[in-house]
Amino acid sequence: MPADPSSGPAGKTPKTPARSAGSHQRSAVAHPARAAATSAVEVRRSTRRRKSVTAYREGDRTIVLIPARMSQAEERRWVGVMLDKLAAQESKRHLGDTELGERAARLSAQYFDGRARPASVRWVTNQNTRWGSCTPAEGSIRLSHRLQGMPEYVVDYVLLHELAHLLVPGHGPDFWRLLEAYPRTERARGFLEGVVAAEGLPRLPAAREE
């Protein structure tokens, strides 16, 4: 489903020559930080598009439509915004408890060699001051419903965080070494820190807490 938030004015200094009305210019853009979310990103510039930015999935590609006069810096920023928005929509639409458990199993296999094996993984509505919790003795993982609608990589990080607690109880060096395997750890923590700051919630555990 296309996402089409209002954007600010296009850049004043054109980086791409304008073409005849209605023309499009396509470019493939590499975004390593989001490589797992989609295999390819294609940016299409249009002289008909003045301010709005739109993104949608097309097979195994993500198409991002932007104004032709938008600068390269603005392009990079808006591609990132739209990828996060699509990921959030898909996460909210598809991840029920069953899918959450399946996702946890895949993440454990990919990053922890399958060693973290939760007995249950589910959403809960009674965790408003933390994103997730784990009871190692029971093998249970619970994620706050507040994560629903956040970007997929953020949900994955919280899942991995709680999966890691099945292997290492505290937040010591061994725990953070486990999470180093996930390439989006810092980015996901930054996203959540932004939410925490905006809502006045308790801070996340320090990344190198002893």
Side-chain angles (χ1 to χ4, degrees):
M1 180 178 181
D4 193 0
S6 297
S7 70
K12 295 182 179 180
T13 304
K15 299 294 183 179
T16 304
R19 300 192 176 189
S20 59
S23 66
H24 289 76
Q25 183 175 8
R26 303 183 181 188
S27 61
V29 181
H31 293 272
R34 298 170 174 83
T38 181
S39 59
V41 177
E42 181 181 313
V43 176
R44 298 178 182 175
R45 291 174 174 265
S46 172
T47 55
R48 288 183 176 179
R49 189 172 291 271
R50 299 300 180 187
K51 294 183 178 180
S52 64
V53 178
T54 301
Y56 59 91
R57 306 293 193 199
E58 188 176 89
D60 63 351
R61 296 179 301 164
T62 299
I63 309 300
V64 182
L65 307 178
I66 65 174
R69 293 175 60 85
M70 186 171 283
S71 70
Q72 293 297 323
E74 287 174 316
E75 174 185 319
R76 287 191 297 271
R77 180 172 70 87
W78 276 104
V79 167
V81 168
M82 300 310 292
L83 287 177
D84 282 350
K85 188 174 182 67
L86 284 175
Q89 290 174 343
E90 291 165 356
S91 174
K92 186 175 184 179
R93 185 167 58 244
H94 296 302
L95 288 182
D97 285 352
T98 299
E99 292 82 5
L100 201 61
E102 293 171 349
R103 192 169 197 86
R106 288 196 300 272
L107 289 168
S108 175
Q110 182 176 357
Y111 295 103
F112 300 151
D113 297 322
R115 292 180 295 125
R117 300 177 181 177
S120 65
V121 184
R122 60 192 176 90
W123 296 107
V124 294
T125 58
N126 62 349
Q127 290 188 164
N128 294 317
T129 60
R130 54 182 174 176
W131 302 114
S133 61
C134 174
T135 305
E138 300 175 358
S140 61
I141 289 175
R142 298 163 298 279
L143 262 60
S144 171
H145 71 289
R146 297 174 62 251
L147 287 164
Q148 293 174 329
M150 290 189 186
E152 198 171 75
Y153 71 91
V154 175
V155 177
D156 283 354
Y157 165 73
V158 178
L159 269 176
L160 280 166
H161 186 109
E162 302 309 330
L163 285 167
H165 278 310
L166 293 176
L167 304 175
V168 180
H171 289 110
D174 290 343
F175 174 85
W176 294 110
R177 271 193 290 272
L178 282 175
L179 285 183
E180 284 176 355
Y182 184 55
R184 301 185 186 184
T185 289
E186 291 306 316
R187 181 166 170 246
R189 285 179 59 82
F191 184 98
L192 292 173
E193 287 285 8
V195 175
V196 166
E199 299 184 2
L201 296 174
R203 293 181 60 80
L204 298 173
R208 291 297 172 194
E209 181 178 319
E210 297 297 335

